[in-house]
């Protein structure tokens, strides 16, 4: 079943949880995330990031994401993650996605406002929720380990966030407060008072990117301070690779599907743990 971003975030707010938002640019990860969501019974966001076009196009994986979500009894949002331009978001909506992030965080403030407001206008016609981003997060989700340390000078400013949300009309705001995308170089230090101030200033659900590599306690604390959507990719993709390596190294493995199935089951266990932690079930 497909539900809207606003509906999923309302569920999160009502239940005092955060929604797991999982990037699935490979089919094994997609099937694994659907299975994990069905086992937990809470809404889950399936997302595809523009930065992953180098490994999988939204036109190829998107229809599978939409079809598997639609036929499932579990509730899913189909979300375009880190859309960099309006054309990419239009491509995702064409495929059947019903939620979008426009990431103008590297643009000057006024340009970020203008681009985000344009996406909100496009989305509103179709009843699509929009996530914007303000403040810069370092790192990346393509396996490049060269960054991995948060830069406090780039964290989101609450007064600017208030203005950004008021002027753009976004449904949710991705903010920078201590996490990074990809692999961490040192333990993350989350700025919890900043999360409080951002929630107070904006009044919209806060989104945490770079959800890989945090402890269960850190997830719970972020949620207690008001984070309502947590994005997750790198560590699930690593789990898939580890399982594939192990299965492939077994001399009894002579055909690829055995390796793919091992990855699916490993990601399912990992993502189920993540969803349950965010939903207060673990
Ligand atoms: P990680 O890859 O660090 O889990 O972050 C995922 C993310 O934020 C996707 O937008």
């Amino acid at each position: 079943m497909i539900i809207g971003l606003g509906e999923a975030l309302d569920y999160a707010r009502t239940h005092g949880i955060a929604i797991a938002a999982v990037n699935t640019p490979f089919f094994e990860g997609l099937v694994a995330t659907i299975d994990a969501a069905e086992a937990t019974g809470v809404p889950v966001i399936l997302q595809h990031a523009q930065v992953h076009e180098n490994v999988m196009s939204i036109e190829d994986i998107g229809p599978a994401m939409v079809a598997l979500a639609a036929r499932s009894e579990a509730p899913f949002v189909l979300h375009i993650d880190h859309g960099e331009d309006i054309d990419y978001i239009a491509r995702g909506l064409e495929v059947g996605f019903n939620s979008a992030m426009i990431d103008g965080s590297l643009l000057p403030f006024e340009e970020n406002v203008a681009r985000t407001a344009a996406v909100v206008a496009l989305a509103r016609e179709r009843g699509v929720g929009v996530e914007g981003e303000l403040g810069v997060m370092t790192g990346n989700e393509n396996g490049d380990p060269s960054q991995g340390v948060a830069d406090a000078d780039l964290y989101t400013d609450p007064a600017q966030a208030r203005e950004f949300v008021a002027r753009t009309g976004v449904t949710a705001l991705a903010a920078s407060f201590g996490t990074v995308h990809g692999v961490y170089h040192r333990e993350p230090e989350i700025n919890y008072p900043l999360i409080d101030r951002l929630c107070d200033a904006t009044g919209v659900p806060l989104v945490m990117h770079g959800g890989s590599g945090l402890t269960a306690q850190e997830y719970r604390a972020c949620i207690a301070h008001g984070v309502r959507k947590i994005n997750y990719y790198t560590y699930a993709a690593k789990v898939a690779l580890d399982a594939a390596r192990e299965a492939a190294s077994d001399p009894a493995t002579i055909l690829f599907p055995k390796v793919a199935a091992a990855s699916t089951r490993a990601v399912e266990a990992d993502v189920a743990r993540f969803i349950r932690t965010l939903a207060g079930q673990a």
Side-chain angles (χ1 to χ4, degrees):
M1 157 199 346
I2 297 177
I3 64 167
L5 178 65
E7 196 182 331
L9 294 173
D10 281 350
Y11 181 97
R13 198 170 358 209
T14 310
H15 292 81
I17 67 165
I19 304 294
V22 185
N23 293 76
T24 58
F26 54 107
F27 192 70
E28 293 73 19
L30 171 58
V31 172
T33 303
I34 299 260
D35 290 349
E38 286 173 346
T40 55
V42 288
V44 165
I45 297 172
L46 299 174
Q47 52 188 25
H48 188 72
Q50 187 164 355
V51 72
H52 286 147
E53 285 292 310
N54 63 350
V55 290
M56 178 63 77
S57 89
I58 199 162
E59 281 81 11
D60 286 342
I61 195 77
M65 294 168 72
V66 174
L68 294 189
R71 78 167 191 198
S72 173
E73 288 190 1
F76 293 99
V77 179
L78 277 310
H79 182 75
I80 303 156
D81 186 32
H82 287 290
E84 292 155 27
D85 52 76
I86 203 154
D87 289 349
Y88 189 75
I89 289 175
R91 277 171 59 189
L93 297 182
E94 193 59 33
V95 168
F97 283 67
N98 70 335
S99 173
M101 174 193 192
I102 176 74
D103 179 358
S105 61
L106 293 177
L107 298 173
F109 181 73
E110 286 299 329
E111 284 177 44
N112 188 3
V113 168
R115 189 171 298 184
T116 305
V119 170
V120 171
L122 170 81
R124 195 170 285 143
E125 289 165 21
R126 306 178 183 223
V128 163
V130 176
E131 174 185 336
E133 177 161 351
L134 186 70
V136 177
M137 282 184 57
T138 52
N140 69 84
E141 302 118 305
N142 262 325
D144 170 6
S146 63
Q147 295 177 309
V149 177
D151 182 346
D153 289 342
L154 305 177
Y155 287 178
T156 310
D157 173 62
Q160 218 179 32
R162 183 200 307 270
E163 183 182 340
F164 182 81
V165 169
R167 288 177 60 192
T168 58
V170 288
T171 313
L173 181 70
S176 173
F177 45 79
T179 55
V180 302
H181 287 118
V183 180
Y184 283 90
H185 283 191
R186 62 167 189 249
E187 299 286 303
E189 275 176 40
I190 312 281
N191 186 333
Y192 297 108
L194 179 55
I195 299 178
D196 293 336
R197 290 169 57 216
L198 288 167
C199 289
D200 287 349
T202 64
V204 295
L206 214 62
V207 180
M208 182 170 107
H209 283 245
S212 290
L214 270 61
T215 64
Q217 258 171 332
E218 285 167 329
Y219 291 130
R220 288 188 199 109
C222 288
I223 295 164
H225 284 267
V227 170
R228 294 288 169 245
K229 169 178 183 271
I230 303 185
N231 287 13
Y232 186 65
Y233 171 63
T234 299
Y235 280 28
K238 274 171 95 266
V239 160
L241 180 62
D242 291 345
R245 280 207 171 108
E246 195 184 326
S249 69
D250 180 349
T253 303
I254 56 163
L255 296 177
F256 173 73
K258 196 167 168 187
V259 175
S263 291
T264 306
R265 297 289 71 92
V267 175
E268 182 184 346
D270 181 69
V271 170
R273 195 165 40 242
F274 177 67
I275 298 171
R276 285 193 196 287
T277 304
L278 270 45
Q281 295 177 6

